[in-house]
Amino acid sequence: MVSSDERRFEVLRAIVADYVRDHEPVASKAIVDRHNLGVSSATVRNDMASLEEDGYITQPHTSAGRIPTDKGYRLFVDRLSDVKPLSTAERKAIQSFLEGAIDLDDVMRRSVRLLAQLTRQVAVIQYPTLTTSTVRHVELVSITPARLMLVLITDTGRVDQRVVDLGDVVTDETVARLRSMVNTTLAGKRLADAAASVAELPESAPGELREVVTRLATVLVESLVEHPEERLVLGGTANLTRNVADFPHSLRQVLEALEEQVVVLKLLAATADPGTITVRIGEENEAEEMRSTSVVSIGYGTRATLLGGMGVVGPTRMDYPTNIAAVRAVANYVGKILGR
């Protein structure tokens, strides 16, 4: 026989499911009609009264129905043992879409677009943090005899291009020497360590190359340090405006907060290790402007290395099982692509 606590949770689950789908307060009669709970309408009413007393559901204005509270959504999410898995077709579509990416920027753009489409929420992805990246290769290409294109490529596929004015005319042979010198010093090093090594390059350079190497090193250091303003990609903000009713007084605040990189980075900050889903509901969000939203986030990367975070932001009235499954699947594929 089902315990009273278990039955109450089934009533809560029914209220969450119906409210997420219809955006209408849910009455006891609707629960009895739509959900095969095997109990009377009076029992459901008693369970609803008990859930309301404990703060899991609430009665908006004078409606006969009830809606979940943040506490109710939290219990629902904590008891989500059966996250709806994506279909084989959906997983294949994600894989082929992401594997068509040509470089890291393209992976980021495609991931955020895909996540926004799958969840119909705002999607956000953080670029791989440079502190965990290593230098794969530095390419130097002559643009003119006195200007070079410097291309830094990391193991995560990040490509950073910069122009270096050398202040002097150099030969192809000199460019080859510079290329060799830089790669011998930097290849395989973590970016933070590489930046320190670059600073020492001019001292070890032959006298006739010292000025050129100094100019090259100055530009190279800029490529090796973090650029917070480049670290996030957002997609699907228009999805929030489809749910205006979920943000009666706060939609503008939420949209403005999402433009603040620091706020969004904080939303992803709890992603401690790859594959662990974090769900923050309403009041659990640190930023006051985000307390009418829920955030589903995850770390992506390889088993050993966290590269960054990604997730979705939407109203607390969201389809948590679908969104959790989508976030987990996209993170899994991005981790595989960048971990190669």
Side-chain angles (χ1 to χ4, degrees), residues 15 18-27 63 65-67 317:
I15 292 169
D18 287 3
Y19 184 61
V20 166
R21 187 186 62 229
D22 303 328
H23 201 189
E24 294 289 339
V26 184
S63 161
R66 304 292 187 275
I67 66 174
R317 185 189 67 89

Side-chain angles (χ1 to χ4, degrees), residues 279-296:
V279 181
R280 284 209 204 82
I281 298 168
E283 293 292 323
E284 295 169 1
N285 284 302
E286 190 182 323
E288 198 173 325
E289 313 91 311
M290 303 301 288
R291 288 184 185 158
S292 58
T293 71
S294 283
V295 181
V296 178

Side-chain angles (χ1 to χ4, degrees), residues 163-313:
V163 173
V164 186
D165 285 306
L166 300 172
D168 201 357
V169 172
V170 297
T171 63
D172 289 345
E173 184 191 346
T174 300
V175 173
R177 284 175 69 193
L178 291 170
R179 186 185 299 118
S180 173
M181 190 186 307
V182 168
N183 280 293
T184 300
T185 305
L186 303 185
K189 285 191 176 170
R190 287 192 166 234
L191 269 67
D193 300 332
S197 300
V198 165
E200 295 166 8
L201 262 179
E203 295 168 27
S204 58
E208 73 276 12
L209 291 182
R210 193 156 293 162
E211 189 179 337
V212 167
V213 171
T214 301
R215 286 174 182 251
L216 182 61
T218 304
V219 174
L220 195 46
V221 165
E222 288 178 10
S223 291
L224 293 166
V225 296
E226 293 274 15
H227 303 288
E229 73 283 358
E230 294 173 7
R231 285 176 59 185
L232 289 172
V233 189
L234 258 76
T237 46
N239 287 332
L240 281 186
T241 59
R242 287 188 307 99
N243 300 308
V244 175
D246 287 304
F247 307 99
H249 312 296
S250 59
L251 182 59
R252 179 191 285 271
Q253 278 184 316
V254 172
L255 289 169
E256 286 174 355
L258 286 172
E259 288 176 12
E260 294 281 336
Q261 303 270 323
V262 175
V263 171
V264 183
L265 282 168
K266 275 188 178 174
L267 295 178
L268 299 179
T271 52
D273 57 324
T276 302
I277 287 274
T278 302
V279 181
R280 284 209 204 82
I281 298 168
E283 293 292 323
E284 295 169 1
N285 284 302
E286 190 182 323
E288 198 173 325
E289 313 91 311
M290 303 301 288
R291 288 184 185 158
S292 58
T293 71
S294 283
V295 181
V296 178
S297 60
I298 194 170
Y300 70 87
T302 63
R303 192 170 295 171
T305 310
L306 176 70
L307 295 174
M310 70 169 68
V312 294
V313 180

Side-chain angles (χ1 to χ4, degrees), residues 20-288:
V20 166
R21 187 186 62 229
D22 303 328
H23 201 189
E24 294 289 339
V26 184
S28 58
K29 184 177 184 309
I31 294 173
V32 172
D33 292 347
R34 291 177 194 161
H35 301 270
N36 187 22
L37 299 183
V39 292
S40 69
S41 202
T43 301
V44 171
R45 277 199 300 277
N46 285 338
D47 285 341
M48 287 174 74
S50 175
L51 286 166
E52 186 169 11
E53 192 176 317
D54 289 345
Y56 293 108
I57 59 175
T58 187
Q59 182 177 26
H61 38 267
T62 54
S63 161
R66 304 292 187 275
I67 66 174
T69 61
D70 287 357
K71 184 179 177 183
Y73 283 125
R74 169 47 62 198
L75 180 62
F76 172 76
V77 169
D78 287 346
R79 295 277 301 272
L80 264 184
S81 53
D82 52 341
V83 170
K84 186 171 73 183
L86 298 185
S87 68
T88 304
E90 284 173 318
R91 287 201 302 272
K92 279 185 176 165
I94 293 172
Q95 188 173 2
S96 61
F97 183 65
L98 292 182
E99 288 193 336
I102 52 173
D103 59 20
L104 179 66
D105 291 333
D106 200 16
V107 171
M108 297 291 108
R109 282 193 299 267
R110 284 173 182 244
S111 301
V112 93
R113 200 161 80 228
L114 185 61
L115 206 44
Q117 286 170 354
L118 287 170
T119 62
R120 305 186 75 192
Q121 310 294 347
V122 178
V124 56
I125 186 165
Q126 179 185 16
Y127 264 82
T129 45
L130 296 183
T131 47
T132 63
S133 303
T134 57
V135 177
R136 182 180 287 165
H137 183 69
V138 179
E139 189 52 68
L140 299 176
V141 182
S142 291
I143 304 173
T144 71
R147 294 183 99 194
L148 293 179
M149 171 72 76
L150 183 154
V151 185
L152 173 75
I153 304 164
T154 70
D155 63 331
T156 54
R158 186 175 185 131
V159 178
D160 195 4
Q161 298 184 11
R162 290 170 190 266
V163 173
V164 186
D165 285 306
L166 300 172
D168 201 357
V169 172
V170 297
T171 63
D172 289 345
E173 184 191 346
T174 300
V175 173
R177 284 175 69 193
L178 291 170
R179 186 185 299 118
S180 173
M181 190 186 307
V182 168
N183 280 293
T184 300
T185 305
L186 303 185
K189 285 191 176 170
R190 287 192 166 234
L191 269 67
D193 300 332
S197 300
V198 165
E200 295 166 8
L201 262 179
E203 295 168 27
S204 58
E208 73 276 12
L209 291 182
R210 193 156 293 162
E211 189 179 337
V212 167
V213 171
T214 301
R215 286 174 182 251
L216 182 61
T218 304
V219 174
L220 195 46
V221 165
E222 288 178 10
S223 291
L224 293 166
V225 296
E226 293 274 15
H227 303 288
E229 73 283 358
E230 294 173 7
R231 285 176 59 185
L232 289 172
V233 189
L234 258 76
T237 46
N239 287 332
L240 281 186
T241 59
R242 287 188 307 99
N243 300 308
V244 175
D246 287 304
F247 307 99
H249 312 296
S250 59
L251 182 59
R252 179 191 285 271
Q253 278 184 316
V254 172
L255 289 169
E256 286 174 355
L258 286 172
E259 288 176 12
E260 294 281 336
Q261 303 270 323
V262 175
V263 171
V264 183
L265 282 168
K266 275 188 178 174
L267 295 178
L268 299 179
T271 52
D273 57 324
T276 302
I277 287 274
T278 302
V279 181
R280 284 209 204 82
I281 298 168
E283 293 292 323
E284 295 169 1
N285 284 302
E286 190 182 323
E288 198 173 325

